[in-house]
Amino acid sequence: MRRALQVWTEGFAFWVVLFSAAAWWMPAPFAALAPGIVPGLGVIMFGMGMSLLPGDFARVFKQPRAVACGVAGQFVVMPAIAWGIAHGLGMPPEIALGFIILGCCPGGTASNVIVYLSRGNVALSVTLTACSTLLAVFLTPLLIWRLGGAIVPVDVWGLFKSVVTIVLVPVGAGLIVHRYLGRRADAINAAFPALSVLIIVLVIAAIIAGAHDTLPQAGGILAVGVLLHNALGLALGYGLARLCGLSARDCRTIAVEVGMQNSGLGVALASKHFSAAVALPSSIFSVVHNLTGSALANYWRRYAPGNDA
């Protein structure tokens, strides 16, 4: 059973492509899954809370410069890149707003695994994911309102309530349950990666199905924008960490944390408050950042930190 769950989890990119193709050819059954997007992401966030420990937050005071660097990359660099790409490529309003929502989201939970494979600082990665996720409760709605409000009207209070419901409440519940169960939570935590993959795969398929009529017109510019956003996030995250004087191991960690977004949150917010077309950048990014992250991890694991080219 454990081996089957591992194979399912490691095949994330393949399952996304397979289910997305199925959703494209048979959109109706997958489009019916749209009401489950927000609850599904809540389940993923609950699993994240179950995996966190008090020490993950205490590390903020032990490595303040590294944490500050990672948070700045997440909530300054990535939103700025998204805004620049959206305007520089002259994207349609819905796609441009989708990129801005993606850029304003916190780090993705899959980043911790990629950091481990990259021979980075896993403890720092977990801390950055936790901190950026909690800060997103306030910063994500404000940044979307500030950067995206010029494109379409943005209900910042509605976004805030959604982020609280989708992120803060489930993560808090996961922390409480983990504290109550103690070591008994390990068995539950072992199943959450596979469950998260299933939810994200179905969410992406639902978005592809819902945007069946929009995707052909935006496909080319969408692909270019997603690749640029991810590549610049990884490169500038690494460069920012170097400028902050961090070790090569921490530079790898921050590059991955900055370059990999919680695209599931982007999908949920876009779907709930806007449209399936607005959710497309986050959906496509879910595939791309896992592929590029895995490729970068495969390259970095061959070299000890300190020998980075």
Side-chain angles (χ1 to χ4, degrees):
M1 181 63 178
R2 182 174 297 181
R3 177 57 182 166
L5 291 176
Q6 183 180 358
V7 169
W8 166 262
T9 303
E10 291 176 352
F12 173 77
F14 171 77
W15 300 123
V16 167
V17 172
L18 180 64
F19 276 72
S20 296
W24 178 256
W25 291 108
M26 298 181 295
F30 292 96
L33 299 174
I37 290 175
V38 172
L41 187 62
V43 172
I44 295 174
M45 291 294 100
F46 175 80
M48 178 182 172
M50 285 279 289
S51 68
L52 295 176
L53 298 170
D56 297 327
F57 298 97
R59 202 170 291 111
V60 172
F61 303 101
K62 297 178 181 178
Q63 294 183 277
R65 182 171 53 169
V67 172
C69 178
V71 169
Q74 195 67 67
F75 291 112
V76 177
V77 173
M78 292 304 273
I81 293 174
W83 187 91
I85 289 173
H87 287 78
L89 295 181
M91 292 181 170
E94 287 186 312
I95 302 300
L97 179 61
F99 265 96
I100 289 172
I101 291 174
L102 171 64
C104 297
C105 286
T109 53
S111 61
N112 305 148
V113 177
I114 299 299
V115 167
Y116 168 75
L117 296 175
S118 300
R119 301 169 72 176
N121 187 340
V122 178
L124 175 61
S125 174
V126 173
T127 295
L128 285 172
T129 301
C131 289
S132 68
T133 298
L134 295 181
L135 287 171
V137 174
F138 304 100
L139 294 180
T140 295
L142 288 174
L143 286 168
I144 293 173
W145 170 69
R146 184 68 183 87
L147 298 176
I151 301 174
V152 299
V154 174
D155 177 11
V156 67
W157 177 242
L159 285 172
F160 171 75
K161 290 190 290 185
S162 292
V163 177
V164 169
T165 303
I166 297 169
V167 175
L168 187 60
V169 172
V171 169
L175 285 165
I176 293 170
V177 171
H178 191 180
R179 182 171 181 81
Y180 176 76
L181 293 179
R183 298 186 65 86
R184 290 176 294 175
D186 293 344
I188 301 174
N189 284 334
F192 259 107
L195 179 60
S196 297
V197 167
L198 174 62
I199 292 171
I200 290 296
V201 165
L202 293 177
V203 164
I204 293 172
I207 294 301
I208 296 296
H212 188 272
D213 297 330
T214 307
L215 187 57
Q217 289 78 31
I221 197 169
L222 186 60
V224 171
V226 166
L227 287 170
L228 276 175
H229 192 242
N230 180 230
L232 288 173
L234 292 168
L236 294 178
Y238 194 97
L240 179 62
R242 286 290 297 269
L243 287 175
C244 291
L246 301 181
S247 67
R249 188 164 173 252
D250 288 351
C251 287
R252 292 183 179 187
T253 302
I254 290 175
V256 173
E257 283 296 320
V258 173
M260 297 185 71
Q261 299 291 87
N262 188 338
S263 49
L265 178 59
V267 168
L269 293 178
S271 303
K272 182 176 178 63
H273 294 277
F274 301 101
S275 67
V278 177
L280 279 174
S282 292
S283 299
I284 304 302
F285 194 91
S286 293
V287 184
V288 170
H289 79 161
N290 280 283
L291 292 175
T292 57
S294 298
L296 185 60
N298 186 56
Y299 172 77
W300 265 339
R301 71 190 303 178
R302 302 177 190 173
Y303 307 97
N307 296 325
D308 292 348

